[in-house]
Amino acid sequence: MTPDSSSRAAESSEDEKTAGRHEVFLYVLRRFGVYLFTLWAAITVAFFIFRLVPGDPMNILLGNLARAEGRQRDAAAEEAIIARYRHIFGMDEPLPLQYINYLRKAVLSGLDLGPSFVEYPAQTKDLVFRRMPWTIGIFTTSVLLAWIVGTGLGALIGWLQRSRLSKLAVVISTLLQITPVYLVALGLIIYVGYTWRILPAGGPYARHLQPEWSWEFISSLLTHAILPMLSNIIVIGAGFTLGMRALMISVLGEDYLTFARAKGLSPFTVLKDYAFRNALIPQVTALAIIVGATLNGTFIIEVLFQLPGLGTLFVQAMGLRDFNTMQAVVLFSIFAVLTLTLIVDLALPLLDPRIRRTA
Amino acid sequence: MRNPSIIIGLIMLALIVVVALAGPALVSQWLFPGERPGMRGSYRPYQLDSAEHPIGTDGDGRDGLMVFVSSIWPSLQIGVIAGATSTILGVVIGFLAGYARGRLDTLSRILIDMVLVIPTLPLLLMLAAYIERWDLYKLSLILGIFGWSFVARVIRPQVQSLRERSYVDLAVLSGENPLEIIFLELLPPLLPYIGYVFSLSIVGSMLAEAGLQIIGLGAGGLPTLGFMIAKGFRESVIAIGLIGQMLLPAGALIYVFLALNLINTGLDEVFNPRLKTTIEGGE
C-alpha cells in the first residue's frame, strides 16, 4: 500500500465518520421533535378531557363543601360564590382562551399550572415538586434493578434452556409476571409487613423520626423503601426475565452463533459478545415500552404503602375534587413518561451501531 | 389447533365461567337453603371460618364464599366488554394505519405512539371523579377506550407486512376494492393474532379495574373481585383471621390471568412458528 492510498483511505473513513455523526445528529433532532410534539399533544388531550367531561368541577367542589358543612345555601348566593371562584381560577373565559392561557402560563411562566383549589394559594407546581422525589425515586430505582436482574437471569435461563432448573425458573417467572403488581404489594404488606413483621410496610419512614442527615433516619428511609420497590422488581423483573430468555433463544438459533461456536470460541465469549449483545437491544426497547404501565403501578404501590408520592397526592386531590392539582399530576406523569422514553430511545444508538447508520 | 397450552387455558377458563355462572345459585342452594347468604346483615359480621361459613362472613354480614362466587362474573364481564372494545377500536385504527401509505402512515404512527405512552391510570381516575354513578358497562367502555392504542400498535405492522405479499397484489390487480381487500385478504390471516391481542386486552382491562378498586377510587359498589380485595384490605380482614376473603379473590384473578396467558402462549406459537422450532428443535 502506497502512502498516498493509505492517506486516502484514512480520509474516506474520516468522511464516513462525519457522515455518521451527521446522521446521529439528525436522528436525535427528529426524535426530539417527535418528543416535543407528543408532549404538546398529550397536554392538549389532557386539558380537553378535563374540560369536556360533563360536570363543572367548581359546582362539584362547592356542592361538596356545602354538603360537608351540612347547611343549605340559597341558590343565588351559591351561584355568586361559584362565579367568583370561576373567575379566580380563570374558568369563566371561553375554552380556547383558557387553553391558550394555560399553555402560555405552563411554558412561559416557569411551569405555572395554576393554584391548588383546596390549598389555595399554594401552587400545584410546588405540591407536585414536593411529592415528585418519592415517585421518581421508587420508580427509577426499581425499574433499573428489575431490568438488570431480569436481563441477567433471562440471559442465563435462555443460555441453559434445556436444564431442569431453567424450566422451573420459566414457570415461576410466568406466574410472577401475570400477577398484578398491587397483589404482590398486598401480599408483601400482609405477610412480610404485618404477619411476620420482618420489614416496615407503611409510611415513608418511622413515625418518630424527622427528615435529617442522620444514619437513623436514612436507614429507616431505606428499610421502608424495600417492600414498595420489591413489589415492582418482582413483577417487572419477571417480565424482563421472560423477554430476555425469548430473545436469547431466538439469537441462539442464528447462523452467526453456530459459526462463532464452530470457530472454537469459548462458550463464555459466545455468550457475552455474540448472544447477549444482540439480544440486548430489543431488551432496551422493552424498557421504553413498560415505562407508562410501571408508573401506573407505582402510583398504586404508593397508595398501598402510604408513601407521600404523586399517586398519593392524586388520590388525596381526587377526594377533595381539587382539579388543578389532579391535572398537574397528570401532566407531570405524562412529562415523566415521555422524557424517560426519550432517554431510552436516545441511548439506543449507543448500543446498536445499525440504528446509528440507518437512522 | 392441537396446541396443549391453548387447550389447558380454555379448560381453565371454562371452569371459572361455570363457577361464575352456577356458583351463586349452587352456594345458596346447598350451603344455605332457605337463607339469603348474599344479603347484607344476614349474619353476624366478621365470623371466622366455620363449617357453616367456609371463609367466614364479611363486614356487611354476608357469607364470604357467596360474595366471592358472585364477584367472579362481573369481573369477567368487565374484562370481556372492555377487552372487546379496545380490540375493535384498535383493530380498526391499526388497519387504517397499516393500510395507509406515505404521510398518513407517518401521522398515524406518531398518533398511536403518542397515545400509547400517555399514562392511563391518572386519566381514568380523573374520569372516575366526574362520573357520579358507575355501572358495569360505563366502566368497561371507559377502560376499553383507554386500551386501544396498544392493540393498534401491534396490529399496524402486521397489516403492513401482509399488504406487501404478492397475493394482495394479485387481489388489487383483479380489481378488488380496498374494503374487499381488507376484509377478504388481510383480516382472515390475522384472526389468530387478533384473538391473541383480545386475550391480552382482557387481562389489561381486568388488571386496570382491580387496580382502580384497590386504590379506592373505582366503581365503588360494583361487586367485582377487585372490590372484594380492596374491601378486605381496608377492613384488614387478614388481621381478623379471614385469610380466605383475600386469598380467594386474589387467587381467582391470578387464575384467570394464567388461563389467558396459556392461551396466549399457545396462540403465539401457532402464529409465530419460529418460536416453536427454536424452543423444541434446538440448535
Side-chain angles (χ1 to χ4, degrees):
Chain A
M1 205 186 269
T2 63
D4 187 44
S5 76
S6 79
S7 82
R8 217 180 295 147
E11 227 168 71
S12 75
S13 88
E14 200 54 38
D15 275 357
E16 257 172 41
K17 242 185 219 166
T18 32
R21 230 176 273 148
H22 186 64
E23 268 157 20
V24 172
F25 179 70
L26 272 184
Y27 169 78
V28 170
L29 200 70
R30 202 169 50 185
R31 186 60 190 77
F32 197 70
V34 171
Y35 166 74
L36 285 182
F37 176 76
T38 315
L39 194 60
W40 165 75
I43 290 176
T44 307
V45 169
F47 178 89
F48 283 104
I49 282 188
F50 246 110
R51 274 142 186 96
L52 295 181
V53 186
D56 181 332
M58 271 299 150
N59 278 333
I60 298 176
L61 177 68
L62 291 175
N64 278 359
L65 284 181
R67 235 171 290 148
E69 287 172 12
R71 65 184 129 101
Q72 209 63 29
R73 284 208 195 84
D74 61 304
E78 195 169 327
E79 275 302 306
I81 293 171
I82 288 177
R84 168 106 184 90
Y85 275 101
R86 287 166 70 88
H87 181 72
I88 291 180
F89 290 103
M91 293 167 79
D92 50 352
E93 287 161 276
L95 204 54
L97 202 65
Q98 280 186 41
Y99 171 64
I100 292 168
N101 273 337
Y102 191 78
L103 276 189
R104 191 175 47 98
K105 275 189 181 164
V107 177
L108 296 181
S109 337
L111 293 175
D112 176 5
L113 299 176
S116 154
F117 283 4
V118 176
E119 291 188 39
Y120 185 82
Q123 286 288 312
T124 47
K125 179 182 69 179
D126 298 334
L127 294 180
V128 167
F129 282 166
R130 214 179 302 148
R131 306 299 193 94
M132 184 180 69
W134 293 101
T135 306
I136 295 295
I138 297 271
F139 174 82
T140 43
T141 321
S142 51
V143 167
L144 283 181
L145 284 176
W147 190 83
I148 293 169
V149 172
T151 306
L153 264 180
L156 201 67
I157 295 174
W159 182 253
L160 307 167
Q161 54 170 310
R162 253 174 273 293
S163 85
R164 200 167 282 167
L165 206 63
S166 131
K167 280 176 186 148
L168 182 71
V170 170
V171 174
I172 293 175
S173 19
T174 308
L175 273 176
L176 288 177
Q177 188 216 3
I178 59 168
T179 307
V181 66
Y182 42 79
L183 288 188
V184 174
L186 280 180
L188 288 176
I189 291 176
I190 290 168
Y191 286 105
V192 182
Y194 290 110
T195 312
W196 302 327
R197 295 187 178 278
I198 299 171
L199 281 168
Y205 39 79
R207 222 161 259 158
H208 63 276
L209 293 175
Q210 288 293 318
E212 54 181 356
W213 285 109
S214 70
W215 171 242
E216 197 191 4
F217 175 73
I218 292 171
S219 67
S220 167
L221 196 71
L222 290 179
T223 46
H224 279 75
I226 292 177
L227 286 187
M229 288 192 186
L230 199 61
S231 333
N232 252 345
I233 292 173
I234 288 175
V235 175
I236 315 167
F240 280 133
T241 308
L242 290 176
M244 188 64 185
R245 173 186 163 270
L247 289 169
M248 269 312 258
I249 289 176
S250 75
V251 168
L252 289 178
E254 297 282 352
D255 290 340
Y256 61 78
L257 222 85
T258 320
F259 181 67
R261 283 208 197 93
K263 268 203 303 195
L265 293 174
S266 78
F268 183 70
T269 314
V270 176
L271 171 68
K272 184 169 68 79
D273 291 345
Y274 287 71
F276 187 72
R277 186 91 202 262
N278 277 296
L280 201 58
I281 292 137
Q283 185 74 355
V284 174
T285 321
L287 188 62
I289 294 171
I290 61 126
V291 165
T294 311
L295 193 66
N296 286 348
T298 308
F299 278 6
I300 303 183
I301 287 177
E302 280 172 15
V303 175
L304 291 178
F305 283 97
Q306 301 151 37
L307 297 176
L310 286 176
T312 320
L313 175 66
F314 190 92
V315 171
Q316 285 164 353
M318 209 177 116
L320 301 166
R321 296 292 192 268
D322 184 348
F323 286 82
N324 261 359
T325 306
M326 285 159 67
Q327 183 167 268
V329 175
V330 170
L331 289 186
F332 179 79
S333 43
I334 289 172
F335 171 75
V337 169
L338 287 176
T339 309
L340 291 171
T341 320
L342 176 77
I343 293 173
V344 174
D345 273 2
L346 289 184
L348 269 184
L350 298 178
L351 281 170
D352 189 354
R354 279 170 301 185
I355 297 182
R356 221 176 303 166
R357 253 175 253 133
T358 53
Chain B
M1 288 213 207
R2 268 174 294 141
N3 189 302
S5 319
I6 298 185
I7 293 171
I8 297 174
L10 283 176
I11 292 174
M12 284 174 70
L13 264 192
L15 278 177
I16 191 122
V17 169
V18 169
V19 172
L21 286 177
L26 285 181
V27 169
S28 65
Q29 284 293 314
W30 284 356
L31 290 175
F32 309 100
E35 294 174 37
R36 281 197 249 168
M39 269 263 290
R40 273 161 222 271
S42 293
Y43 311 101
R44 192 163 48 80
Y46 301 125
Q47 287 181 49
L48 292 184
D49 311 358
S50 62
E52 198 187 345
H53 302 289
I55 60 169
T57 59
D58 76 349
D60 295 332
R62 294 173 293 181
D63 176 62
L65 190 65
M66 185 67 192
V67 174
F68 166 64
V69 288
S70 16
S71 300
I72 303 172
W73 186 237
S75 282
L76 292 177
Q77 269 181 302
I78 290 175
V80 170
I81 299 173
T85 311
S86 48
T87 307
I88 292 170
L89 279 176
V91 165
V92 170
I93 296 170
F95 263 79
L96 289 179
Y99 199 74
R101 282 168 203 254
R103 202 161 284 175
L104 199 60
D105 178 41
T106 318
L107 205 69
S108 66
R109 197 194 65 228
I110 293 178
L111 181 81
I112 293 172
D113 280 352
M114 198 179 84
V115 181
L116 196 69
V117 293
I118 295 178
T120 48
L121 184 83
L123 288 179
L124 266 174
L125 291 173
M126 220 161 77
L127 279 176
Y130 280 100
I131 293 175
E132 295 270 307
R133 286 203 70 78
W134 282 92
D135 61 44
L136 199 143
Y137 298 101
K138 231 184 250 172
L139 177 67
S140 313
L141 279 179
I142 287 177
L143 285 172
I145 288 169
F146 277 97
W148 67 265
S149 57
F150 151 75
V151 181
R153 169 74 191 256
V154 295
I155 292 286
R156 181 177 153 275
Q158 302 284 347
V159 176
Q160 274 180 324
S161 105
L162 270 186
R163 194 189 55 188
E164 303 301 331
R165 304 270 170 88
S166 44
Y167 80 90
V168 179
D169 289 340
L170 199 67
V172 174
L173 285 177
S174 61
E176 284 187 15
N177 65 38
L179 277 182
E180 280 175 322
I181 290 172
I182 286 177
F183 282 105
L184 300 177
E185 313 296 342
L186 298 179
L187 193 60
L190 280 179
L191 280 179
Y193 192 73
I194 292 174
Y196 165 74
V197 172
F198 176 49
S199 165
L200 280 180
S201 303
I202 297 179
V203 173
S205 313
M206 290 180 68
L207 209 82
E209 189 271 333
L212 281 182
Q213 301 280 15
I214 285 168
I215 210 171
L217 296 167
L222 267 189
T224 61
L225 292 170
F227 183 65
M228 189 175 175
I229 297 170
K231 191 166 176 292
F233 180 64
R234 245 165 295 165
E235 296 173 359
S236 36
V237 292
I238 296 272
I240 303 172
L242 297 166
I243 298 166
Q245 290 186 22
M246 287 287 267
L247 287 191
L248 272 186
L253 273 182
I254 297 174
Y255 174 91
V256 174
F257 293 157
L258 183 64
L260 289 169
N261 191 63
L262 278 172
I263 296 176
N264 278 340
T265 319
L267 283 173
D268 210 17
E269 278 166 21
V270 170
F271 195 74
N272 186 1
R274 187 179 155 191
L275 200 67
K276 199 172 179 179
T277 50
T278 42
I279 289 172
E280 288 168 9
E283 291 115 281

